[in-house]
């Protein structure tokens, strides 16, 4: 189908690209999303949908600012999206129990969350038992974050796509390799095997693949895929309703009896797979924590490629050396959570407005000399 020339071309239709496209289209811009394959089927689909809390007024680090901005936007964004798309994305505030190896570590973590203006309580043994009755270690050191939320990724991506279409966003999937014609500091046009677009503004949101597109433009960036595997269990009755986190691993219960066990962190290139070691490690983690999960059925396994960056923070904003290029990539483990804030920042910058939060810590060229 012939496409009309857009004002803004977005390369990559994961959660970052689709949310940005939606906000731009709702501001009246004509937007085209190009995707190498299908939109919403990569890391954004694969993630666990955990949405940690934050406080915009009190957060001080770049990570906390973007997390907090996004946390403040999620409830209304989820409601708006449901109204627009007719899809309930499963956004709900479920709370999270975080387990630690010592009571001192739990106290320190709770103190840090509170310093950043977020509710956090250290749990007694009986409080921990109330949240997770079947926990193996009932005397474990733990804290509770009551404002922690979750969303169901596939539903959220589907809702975003529908809302984008209703807002007039155009799509080209299976777009093939992008080739750029650059005049001075301006990208004049973008070619695919099927189309040529003369675009005033271009935004790169291709997740773990963004470094490949930037290389075409002669700008190396250290964004690379970090594989994460997930095992999904099905139980007849949920043994707990909050998220449980132990270090970088977690259990995420859904209201229909599904429980996601995540995740691994593997530097194996662009190779999606579930391995014996990955799956058995996740099952051991879950069943040693909550022994009654030994009877759960394995519903499904999958893996996804997180867009990793050396400091685990996204590259976000304009790309120096170009006057019509922006980037939003490298969100690593937090791209779902940070998507409303990321999209608000990108859409405002692309429209010529200022960012709602300081962008210190996110510059796309911060790794240039390292
Ligand atoms: C197992 C796992 C668990 C996770 N859990 C969480 C969590 O609980 N909470 C959280 O916040 N985050 C989580 N994440 C991280 C989160 O999923 C990612 O940070 C986020 O999805 C990145 O979104 P994205 O839109 O940047 O990239 P992606 O979703 O990967 O989208 C990139 C898109 O770009 C397209 N593309 C690729 N190359 C090109 C090209 N050359 N031209 C055009 N398009 C291209 C792809 O096809 C894809 O559609 C998890 C990730 C994994 C894998």
């Amino acid at each position: 189908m012939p496409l009309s020339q857009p004002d803004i071309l977005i390369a990559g239709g994961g959660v970052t690209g689709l949310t940005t496209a939606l906000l731009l289209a709702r501001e009246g811009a004509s937007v085209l999303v190009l995707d190498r394959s299908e939109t919403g089927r990569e890391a954004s689909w694969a993630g666990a949908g955990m949405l940690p809390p934050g406080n915009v007024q009190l957060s001080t680090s770049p990570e906390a600012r973007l997390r907090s901005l996004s946390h403040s936007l999620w409830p209304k964004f989820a409601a708006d999206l449901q109204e627009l798309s007719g899809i309930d994305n499963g956004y709900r505030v479920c709370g999270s129990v975080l387990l630690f190896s010592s009571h001192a570590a739990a106290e320190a973590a709770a103190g840090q969350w509170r310093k950043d203006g977020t509710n956090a309580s250290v749990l007694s043994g009986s409080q921990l038992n109330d949240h997770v009755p079947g926990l193996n270690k009932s005397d474990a050191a733990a804290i509770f974050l009551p404002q922690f939320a979750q969303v169901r990724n596939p539903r959220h991506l589907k809702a975003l796509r529908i809302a984008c279409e209703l807002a007039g966003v155009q799509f080209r999937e299976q777009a093939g390799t992008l080739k750029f014609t650059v005049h001075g500091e301006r990208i004049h046009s973008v070619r695919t095997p099927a189309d040529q677009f003369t675009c005033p503004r271009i935004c790169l949101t291709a997740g773990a693949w963004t470094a490949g597109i930037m290389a075409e433009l002669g700008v190396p960036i250290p964004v690379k895929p970090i594989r994460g595997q997930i095992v999904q269990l099905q139980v007849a009755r949920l043994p707990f309703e909050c998220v449980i986190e132990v270090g970088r691993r977690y259990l995420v219960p859904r209201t229909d009896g599904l429980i996601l066990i995540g995740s691994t962190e593997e530097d194996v290139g662009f190779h999606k797979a579930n391995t014996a070691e990955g799956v058995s490690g996740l099952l051991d983690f879950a069943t040693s924590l909550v022994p009654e999960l030994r009877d759960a059925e394995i519903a499904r396994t999958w893996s996804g490629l997180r867009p990793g960056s050396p400091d685990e923070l996204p590259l976000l904003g304009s790309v120096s050396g170009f006057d019509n290029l922006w980037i939003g990539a490298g969100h690593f483990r937090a791209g779902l959570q940070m998507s409303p804030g990321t999209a608000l920042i990108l859409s405002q910058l692309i429209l010529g407005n200022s960012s709602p939060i300081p962008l210190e810590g996110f510059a796309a060229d911060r790794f240039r000399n390292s």
Side-chain angles (χ1 to χ4, degrees), residues 156-221:
H156 182 61
L157 272 293
K158 198 169 167 195
L160 277 174
R161 171 73 191 240
I162 291 172
C164 279
E165 283 172 1
L166 291 172
V169 174
Q170 301 184 87
F171 287 91
R172 177 68 89 210
E173 296 180 305
Q174 313 297 344
T177 306
L178 309 185
K179 298 279 176 203
F180 299 90
T181 304
V182 180
H183 292 169
E185 296 203 331
R186 213 172 159 71
I187 298 177
H188 174 262
S189 60
V190 180
R191 271 173 296 119
T192 70
D195 307 285
Q196 170 145 350
F197 304 101
T198 310
C199 302
R201 286 159 282 178
I202 295 149
C203 182
L204 304 182
T205 53
W209 295 264
T210 310
I213 306 182
M214 289 287 275
E216 284 283 331
L217 288 161
V219 185
I221 57 164

Side-chain angles (χ1 to χ4, degrees), residues 280-312:
S280 63
L282 292 172
L283 287 172
D284 284 351
F285 162 69
T287 54
S288 62
L289 207 58
V290 183
E292 71 179 86
L293 292 178
R294 285 191 197 120
D295 296 328
E297 288 179 17
I298 296 178
R300 196 171 175 180
T301 61
W302 67 80
S303 71
L305 302 173
R306 305 178 187 92
S309 80
D311 56 11
E312 304 190 0

Side-chain angles (χ1 to χ4, degrees), residues 93-109:
V93 178
C94 57
S96 178
V97 164
L98 281 63
L99 297 173
F100 295 88
S101 54
S102 72
H103 289 279
E107 290 281 357

Side-chain angles (χ1 to χ4, degrees), residues 108-172:
Q112 186 55 49
W113 281 102
R114 287 192 210 114
K115 199 170 146 220
D116 274 357
T118 304
N119 288 344
S121 53
V122 176
L123 296 178
S124 66
S126 71
Q127 288 169 326
L128 178 56
N129 188 57
D130 289 344
H131 286 297
V132 193
L135 193 73
N136 193 15
K137 306 173 209 157
S138 54
D139 60 343
I143 70 170
F144 186 63
L145 305 179
Q147 297 155 306
F148 201 105
Q150 63 167 281
V151 69
R152 296 185 73 149
N153 299 34
R155 296 181 188 183
H156 182 61
L157 272 293
K158 198 169 167 195
L160 277 174
R161 171 73 191 240
I162 291 172
C164 279
E165 283 172 1
L166 291 172
V169 174
Q170 301 184 87
F171 287 91
R172 177 68 89 210

